[in-house]
Amino acid sequence: MPSQALPDRYLRAVHRNWRMAALVAGMALAGRLAAQTVVFSEVMYEPPGGPSFAEAEFLELLNPASRPVDLSGASFTSGVTYSFPTPLVLQPGARAVICRNQTLFQSRYGSVPGLLPGNYSGALNNGGESLVLADAAGLPLAQLRYGVDGAWPGRPAGLGGSLELVDPAGDPAAASNWRASAEYLGSPGTAGSGPRQRVVVNELLAHTDPPLEDAVELFNRTGQPIDIGGWFLSNDPADPFRYRIPAGTVIPARGFRMIYEYQFNLLDPGPGRTALTFGAARGGIVSLLSADARGVPIAWEDVQDFPASPNGVSFGRHPDGEGPFLLVQRMTLGTGIDNTLDPLLINVFRQGLGGTNAPHAVGPVVFRRLRHAAPAGGIEFVELQNVSTATVPLYDPAYPTNAWRIEGGIGFTFSQPQTMEPGARWIIANTNNPAAVRRLLGLPESQVVLGPYTGQLASEGERLTLVRPDAPQLPPRPDAGFVPYYVVDQLDYRSEAPWPSDATAADRCLARIGLTAPTHLPANWRSEPLGTSPSSRPEVAVERLPGGVVRLRTAGDRDSGFVVERVSLSGSGSVTALSTVLRAAYATPPGVVRADGRVERAFELGTGESAEMWRIRLDP
């Protein structure tokens, strides 16, 4: 046996044992760290109040685990400088708060649960930074890289809110898992309440010319009256105290309250303040901040960003108090007055007490389909459809160089002049090869295909907006010449439930179900093959229900439309009376689209009628 054989085998065995021991030790350490993980749960990096309160910063840590976490001697390796006291054990569900200036912090917040002694040195970066907390052995316990732009909430950037973690079990690196605190100045040491919305801005008329004026409709979403006296209404995120609602103002349960511009746009707004009005040429913000009897702010009840709007058209929620804040079909502020009526009727306009909102405006052109998860280098596209009965110019006829455009993850401006016929479908792709697009989708040579657009559709989801130009601002406005663009259709699509996740497959796309049903509802979108397919006859089931009601259900190609018929038997023949055509907008009466894709409608039977007298047929 060679003299080196035994030592080599021995050394290899030692090496194997050493690696195994290191692996076991590493696994044990990883398990210990996993069990002791804490998260940054709230960050106040830019306190409001100007330079006097710049040091009122704080950081909050949360133990979301089911076991205690030892923070003894923990310190930051990135961000601020602070050493946690020894001993310090953070119990499950407990929070720990550290601040930059204890005196200033306590003058603002008083006694705070979990406040640790001492101050951290350094300052949180108002432009965003990375925070890393390590245990006494130098191993990471918590990490956060927060931002201030893009998808990160904006109110924590000096506008009165803190940065608050939504889901401790979620991804702390995702901007979508963070929100601005509802509480004014945040909620150090306690869990934030999340969005309040007891009282919401239900409708906003933000673009008016005299004699009309801006107006705000508030809605009480609760079953109890709410006294909003002393609360604040504003159009400026940097100054949420622009208008204080008079004492004794009460909104009844599920009721409305109107506030008109002549009330909040005072002739003398006070030193250092400007008049409160919602000039919507560039969009803006409306906020409602609750306060106590002394005027001390409590929490944002509602904050809504809004884009530009056409003259005399209001934003609103539908149904009342719910849903997104979008343009509505018509004003519903409590009177029939609009921007087409006699200026002398302004006093009547101001007597409106609010009312049930009209549905959201849809069209005249909408997003119909998109392929947002094409293979690398593949063809993406967005399909638009004119759902109106009129030809739509995709430009401003009075100013033909101002054209419609698509904004968001992609950018595209329509050429001059282009008009879209009723029912027309146009495809905008990421290529200047229309023949390739038509081949992919199995479309005829007559199909309009435009492109390329700039940018790329995000496979995970994003916001796409179709906008059209309004008339340019005219003198003597300070922004004379500026062209406002307002939203025609807006799609915030996603790739995960409740959106159809299989729409990301290479041979499929995301397709709208009801063309005049709301864009924002995930239930109004489905996964669809890229290629076109012929319409199929629906499968019809007829069911008689108690109380003389018959229900018809069908499944098929909903985009082709269905005709509901009542058949009156007469001898050997039959006479068909068309009752209702269900086209596209099946979410509105008389049709209902169920989650499984079936169209359902219930009818009341007439005298002598049977269920067999009702049927649904495919509309040719």
Side-chain angles (χ1 to χ4, degrees):
M1 181 180 293
S3 60
Q4 294 297 319
L6 183 58
D8 286 345
R9 289 199 301 271
Y10 174 76
L11 291 174
R12 285 197 297 270
V14 169
H15 183 61
R16 284 196 302 270
N17 292 339
W18 176 84
R19 286 189 302 171
M20 182 60 70
L23 178 61
V24 172
M27 292 174 62
L29 179 60
R32 180 174 64 84
L33 289 176
Q36 293 189 355
T37 298
V38 293
V39 294
F40 291 102
S41 50
E42 191 172 1
V43 182
M44 174 63 83
Y45 59 83
E46 189 174 357
S52 300
F53 287 92
E55 295 187 0
E57 299 177 352
F58 68 83
L59 283 170
E60 180 189 86
L61 290 162
L62 168 68
N63 176 10
S66 58
R67 298 172 55 183
V69 175
D70 187 0
L71 293 181
S72 302
S75 61
F76 288 86
T77 60
S78 178
V80 299
T81 301
Y82 181 83
S83 293
F84 285 73
T86 301
L88 177 62
V89 175
L90 196 61
Q91 297 298 323
R95 300 170 189 266
V97 179
I98 59 174
C99 61
R100 182 178 171 187
N101 183 320
Q102 286 263 348
T103 302
L104 191 60
F105 177 85
Q106 290 181 316
S107 71
R108 172 166 275 185
Y109 296 100
S111 178
V112 169
L115 180 63
L116 300 182
N119 305 320
Y120 58 72
S121 58
L124 296 172
N125 193 320
N126 293 346
E129 66 176 327
S130 180
L131 302 173
V132 181
L133 178 67
D135 65 11
L139 298 173
L141 282 172
Q143 184 169 340
L144 168 64
R145 183 171 184 82
Y146 66 90
V148 299
D149 51 15
W152 289 91
R155 201 161 66 238
L159 302 178
S162 65
L163 191 62
E164 184 176 87
L165 185 65
V166 176
D167 181 9
D171 182 5
S176 59
N177 197 26
W178 292 84
R179 66 190 175 201
S181 64
E183 291 80 6
Y184 188 75
L185 303 179
S187 58
T190 59
S193 65
R196 293 289 185 98
Q197 295 196 320
R198 296 177 300 163
V199 177
V200 298
V201 178
N202 197 52
E203 189 172 352
L204 172 69
L205 182 59
H207 183 179
T208 57
D209 290 335
L212 275 191
E213 62 187 7
D214 295 355
V216 178
E217 178 191 78
L218 303 179
F219 179 70
N220 177 359
R221 299 176 68 237
T222 75
Q224 300 294 327
I226 295 181
D227 187 343
I228 62 169
W231 292 17
F232 296 96
L233 182 72
S234 180
N235 66 342
D236 185 353
D239 181 11
F241 313 112
R242 301 293 300 278
Y243 171 71
R244 192 171 187 196
I245 297 171
T249 303
V250 176
I251 308 182
R254 304 294 298 176
F256 304 92
R257 183 76 187 201
M258 290 299 307
I259 305 178
Y260 291 94
E261 185 177 343
Y262 82 94
Q263 296 169 303
F264 57 71
N265 186 358
L266 305 179
L267 295 177
D268 183 11
R273 293 180 179 268
T274 57
L276 195 172
T277 184
F278 298 95
R282 299 175 186 268
I285 190 171
V286 55
S287 65
L288 181 66
L289 180 65
S290 61
D292 64 17
R294 300 169 297 165
V296 176
I298 298 173
W300 275 275
E301 297 292 332
D302 195 18
V303 180
Q304 289 295 326
D305 296 301
F306 57 88
S309 62
N311 195 339
V313 180
S314 56
F315 295 97
R317 300 174 183 270
H318 182 75
D320 292 313
E322 310 292 337
F325 200 62
L326 303 173
L327 293 175
V328 292
Q329 294 176 5
R330 63 185 183 279
M331 285 192 297
T332 53
L333 302 177
T335 69
I337 306 299
D338 61 23
N339 58 337
T340 66
L341 298 183
D342 193 319
L344 297 178
L345 296 175
I346 183 63
N347 289 330
V348 178
F349 172 75
R350 289 173 174 174
Q351 293 173 20
L353 301 178
T356 299
N357 281 354
H360 290 132
V362 178
V365 179
V366 301
F367 291 107
R368 181 184 178 273
R369 291 198 303 170
L370 67 155
R371 189 192 194 194
H372 61 286
I379 294 175
E380 297 179 349
F381 69 86
V382 171
E383 183 178 298
L384 302 176
Q385 182 165 349
N386 179 358
V387 297
S388 75
T389 58
T391 297
V392 177
L394 302 182
Y395 61 96
D396 183 350
Y399 302 88
T401 58
N402 298 338
W404 291 35
R405 60 195 187 206
I406 300 174
E407 301 176 337
I410 61 173
F412 183 80
T413 301
F414 290 87
S415 302
Q416 304 303 322
Q418 289 179 313
T419 58
M420 201 171 185
E421 298 298 319
R425 300 177 182 179
W426 286 11
I427 292 175
I428 298 88
N430 63 340
T431 176
N432 58 1
N433 187 348
V437 177
R438 295 187 188 105
R439 284 195 301 271
L440 174 69
L441 302 179
L443 298 171
E445 289 296 318
S446 59
Q447 173 63 53
V448 175
V449 178
L450 306 176
Y453 54 66
T454 60
Q456 182 177 356
L457 294 172
S459 59
E460 69 276 8
E462 63 185 336
R463 170 172 291 180
L464 296 177
T465 308
L466 176 66
V467 297
R468 67 187 299 175
D470 203 358
Q473 297 292 287
L474 300 176
R477 295 181 183 272
D479 58 350
F482 173 76
V483 179
Y485 277 78
Y486 64 88
V487 175
V488 179
D489 199 24
Q490 182 170 289
L491 171 60
D492 291 280
Y493 70 92
R494 295 293 180 266
S495 61
E496 69 277 351
W499 292 81
S501 58
D502 59 337
T504 59
D507 61 343
R508 303 188 73 82
C509 62
L510 187 65
R512 192 178 189 131
I513 297 172
L515 295 181
T516 56
T519 308
H520 67 275
L521 297 176
N524 196 33
W525 293 84
R526 67 184 175 195
S527 172
E528 185 175 272
L530 287 177
T532 57
S533 59
S535 300
S536 59
R537 287 193 66 84
E539 301 172 2
V540 180
V542 180
E543 179 185 2
R544 183 159 187 164
L545 304 177
V549 173
V550 60
R551 180 166 60 197
L552 290 83
R553 294 179 179 174
T554 186
D557 184 354
R558 281 169 282 177
D559 292 333
S560 297
F562 295 103
V563 176
V564 178
E565 300 174 326
R566 181 171 58 189
V567 181
S568 300
L569 300 179
S570 176
S572 60
S574 65
V575 177
T576 300
L578 300 186
S579 173
T580 305
V581 179
L582 304 180
R583 294 182 184 275
Y586 302 134
T588 60
V592 176
V593 173
R594 304 192 316 172
D596 61 3
R598 293 179 178 271
V599 180
E600 181 176 301
R601 170 66 164 124
F603 298 88
E604 186 173 347
L605 292 175
T607 303
E609 288 186 345
S610 67
E612 290 71 28
M613 290 184 180
W614 288 92
R615 69 188 185 189
I616 300 178
R617 70 175 174 86
L618 183 66
D619 180 23

